[in-house]
């Protein structure tokens, strides 16, 4: 009983006074547990949480690992969970998900997660609290089950997502500064990913202008990355908001950067890509924004510039509007809220292409996740499964493929990068 009371007390403290009064603490604690088990954007977990509630769905999943999935499947059918009517296909989806979640379920420690957040002054935000950014609900089952924030000033008003290359050109930095400054003057919040290059420039301009800015992290709220931007991110936390989906202690990886991009796209009423190479992660953000029906803009550059190839491709494929002036993307944001910088009509964004994959790059995504999980020392397959959020079987398959590609090797101590 005391342990349960301690858990609810820690949950209430993590939410803060206003948040704790607005939501069910048991449900909230279950959301924290879910966040420690699943990787960002896990649609099966999102579907179960939305349809059955966090506490009930988590209990059913834990029971399914011991007793088999039939009880969970029957409940989904009785509650008319979307997709459950396709019995065989849904059962297979659930089976694969249980294998994916299994390695982490036995290690969930909600109290430790809440303590880690408290140690860096982070707050827990869940649906139903005033601080929950309702724009992320547009992600449907891919929406986060919980968020962690470090904030000195709550963002208000419409938001513009500004993304681009980490290795920007001088022209790209100048364009970013002008767009971010125009957004700040119009009262918009600037959203980006806290990375080097275009992201950092956008945040710095917002901080200098005294306007709120949001940096969405790819790891836990206690993982300020990259190291060269730690002071910038601290400034963002003081003046705006740091936002993370993964629980404290989660290190940023390439896979999580890609998953993080969907949150940047959802938070912005429009997205502008300032510079992007042919395989830039910024293009991934643009694709998410288009699939959400948000306007997408791209800044043109010299046709010979490798930093502008991605932007030109977005425009050529009809996925983005060209930025003629710094006010164009800002007008789109304000137009969605019945306002305008210059009083002209709001342009439409590129239409989503349903057959466009959300992931970037040509490498198998499960191989990417396995490589991300491997650090400097060799690891066994079970530990890789825990770190990557994959089932043990999927890890074995991905390792085999990675070994064929010469990316990993098997040693006496386990698997290591080649």
């Amino acid at each position: 009983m005391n342990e349960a009371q301690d858990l609810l007390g820690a949950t209430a403290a993590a939410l803060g006074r206003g948040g704790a009064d607005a939501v069910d603490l048991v449900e909230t604690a279950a959301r924290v547990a879910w966040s420690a088990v699943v990787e960002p954007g896990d649609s099966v977990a999102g579907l179960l949480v939305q349809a059955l509630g966090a506490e009930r769905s988590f209990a059913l999943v834990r029971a399914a690992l011991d007793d088999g999935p039939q009880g969970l499947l029957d409940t989904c059918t009785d509650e008319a969970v979307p997709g459950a009517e396709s019995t065989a296909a849904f059962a297979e989806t659930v089976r694969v998900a249980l294998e994916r979640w299994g390695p982490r379920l036995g290690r969930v420690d909600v109290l430790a997660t809440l303590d880690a957040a408290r140690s860096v002054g982070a707050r827990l935000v869940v649906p139903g609290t005033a601080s929950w950014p309702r724009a992320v609900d547009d992600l449907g089952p891919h929406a986060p089950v919980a968020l962690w924030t470090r904030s000195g000033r709550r963002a208000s008003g419409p938001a513009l997502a500004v993304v681009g290359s980490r290795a920007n050109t001088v022209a790209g930095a100048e364009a970013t500064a002008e767009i971010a400054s125009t957004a700040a003057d119009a009262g918009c919040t600037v959203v980006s990913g806290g990375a080097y290059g275009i992201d950092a420039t956008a945040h710095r301009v917002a901080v200098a202008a005294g306007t709120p800015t949001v940096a969405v992290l790819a790891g836990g709220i206690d993982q300020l990355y990259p190291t060269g931007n730690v002071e910038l991110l601290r400034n963002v936390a003081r003046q705006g908001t740091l936002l993370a989906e993964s629980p404290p202690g989660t290190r940023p990886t390439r896979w999580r950067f890609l998953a993080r991009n969907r949150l940047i796209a959802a938070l912005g009423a429009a997205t502008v890509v300032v510079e992007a190479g042919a395989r830039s992660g910024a293009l991934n953000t643009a694709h998410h924004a288009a699939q959400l029906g948000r306007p997408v803009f791209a800044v043109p550059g010299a046709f010979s510039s490798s930093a502008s190839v991605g932007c030109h491709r977005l425009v050529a494929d009809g996925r983005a509007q060209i930025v003629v002036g710094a006010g164009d993307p800002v007008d789109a944001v304000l137009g969605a809220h019945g306002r305008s910088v210059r009083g002209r009509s709001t342009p439409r964004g590129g239409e989503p292409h349903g057959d466009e994959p959300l992931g970037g790059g040509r490498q198998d995504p499960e191989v990417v996740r396995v490589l991300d999980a491997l650090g400097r020392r060799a690891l066994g397959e079970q530990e890789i499964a825990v770190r990557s959020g994959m089932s043990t079987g999927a890890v074995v398959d991905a390792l085999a493929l990675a070994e064929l590609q010469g990316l990993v090797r098997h040693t006496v101590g386990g698997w290591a990068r080649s």
Side-chain angles (χ1 to χ4, degrees):
M1 181 64 71
N2 288 336
E3 184 178 345
Q5 290 176 341
D6 289 344
L7 176 59
L8 294 181
T11 303
L15 289 166
R17 184 176 302 173
D21 295 337
V23 296
D24 182 278
L25 295 181
V26 175
E27 274 289 296
T28 301
R31 283 183 174 270
V32 175
W34 266 117
S35 75
V37 170
V38 301
E39 282 294 302
D42 192 312
S43 62
V44 183
L47 183 66
L48 293 178
V49 170
Q50 290 177 6
L52 305 176
E55 180 193 12
R56 187 183 182 194
S57 60
F58 195 76
L60 286 166
V61 164
R62 297 195 78 157
L65 287 175
D66 296 329
D67 306 327
Q70 196 56 51
L72 173 59
L73 293 172
D74 289 344
T75 300
C76 289
T77 300
D78 294 341
E79 298 291 338
V81 173
E85 68 280 359
S86 304
T87 310
F90 188 78
E92 177 62 13
T93 298
V94 169
R95 183 192 67 77
V96 172
L98 290 172
E99 288 186 355
R100 184 167 68 241
W101 303 332
R104 287 183 180 172
L105 271 168
R107 301 192 180 192
V108 174
D109 189 336
V110 174
L111 267 177
T113 300
L114 295 172
D115 286 343
R118 179 178 54 81
S119 69
V120 294
R123 282 285 184 84
L124 172 64
V125 180
V126 296
T129 59
S131 298
W132 180 258
R134 287 181 290 177
V136 302
D137 293 337
D138 292 347
L139 293 166
H142 296 281
V145 294
L147 291 168
W148 306 89
T149 70
R150 291 165 64 177
S151 179
R153 177 182 175 189
R154 183 181 172 187
S156 60
L160 173 66
V162 182
V163 295
S165 173
R166 287 171 172 78
N168 63 279
T169 66
V170 173
E174 291 174 346
T176 302
E178 189 171 353
I179 291 170
S181 178
T182 302
D185 290 344
C188 295
T189 296
V190 175
V191 179
S192 196
Y196 292 131
I198 299 301
D199 288 18
T201 300
H203 289 307
R204 287 193 180 98
V205 169
V207 168
T211 192
T213 181
V214 177
V216 186
L217 307 180
I221 197 68
D222 56 346
Q223 306 287 307
L224 300 187
Y225 181 88
T227 54
N229 281 356
V230 167
E231 189 56 38
L232 170 63
L233 293 172
R234 287 174 178 162
N235 287 336
V236 170
R238 282 190 286 267
Q239 182 170 300
T241 300
L242 295 182
L243 194 67
E245 177 177 6
S246 296
T250 305
R251 67 187 184 91
T253 64
R254 285 180 295 171
W255 175 260
R256 291 173 188 138
F257 277 111
L258 290 173
R260 177 275 308 270
N261 290 343
R262 79 192 198 289
L263 296 185
I264 296 175
L267 290 169
T271 292
V272 56
V273 182
V274 179
E275 285 186 321
R279 297 175 61 184
S280 170
L283 302 181
N284 179 255
T285 307
H287 294 153
H288 281 300
Q291 289 179 330
L292 288 167
R294 310 282 204 265
V296 178
F297 292 83
V299 175
F303 74 87
S304 58
S305 172
S306 60
S308 294
V309 171
C311 291
H312 296 162
R313 180 51 55 195
L314 285 173
V315 174
D317 291 346
R319 296 176 181 272
Q321 299 175 74
I322 192 168
V323 175
V324 178
D328 291 347
V330 179
D331 265 354
V333 170
L334 298 180
H337 291 74
R339 298 158 57 193
S340 176
V341 173
R342 296 184 301 276
R344 63 175 181 79
S345 60
T346 301
R348 293 182 59 199
E351 295 297 321
H353 291 239
D355 59 348
E356 178 67 29
L358 291 180
R362 299 178 182 176
Q363 197 170 56
D364 186 291
E366 294 195 339
V367 171
V368 172
R369 291 172 71 168
V370 164
L371 293 175
D372 285 342
L374 287 172
R376 295 182 179 179
R377 62 184 180 88
L379 297 174
E381 292 162 0
Q382 183 70 15
E383 182 61 26
I384 295 172
V386 170
R387 291 190 176 196
S388 66
M390 296 163 58
S391 68
T392 305
V395 165
V396 171
D397 292 343
L399 285 170
L401 181 57
E403 187 176 28
L404 287 174
Q405 296 174 344
L407 300 173
V408 299
R409 68 184 190 282
H410 194 261
T411 69
V412 175
W415 290 91
R417 288 173 175 265
S418 296

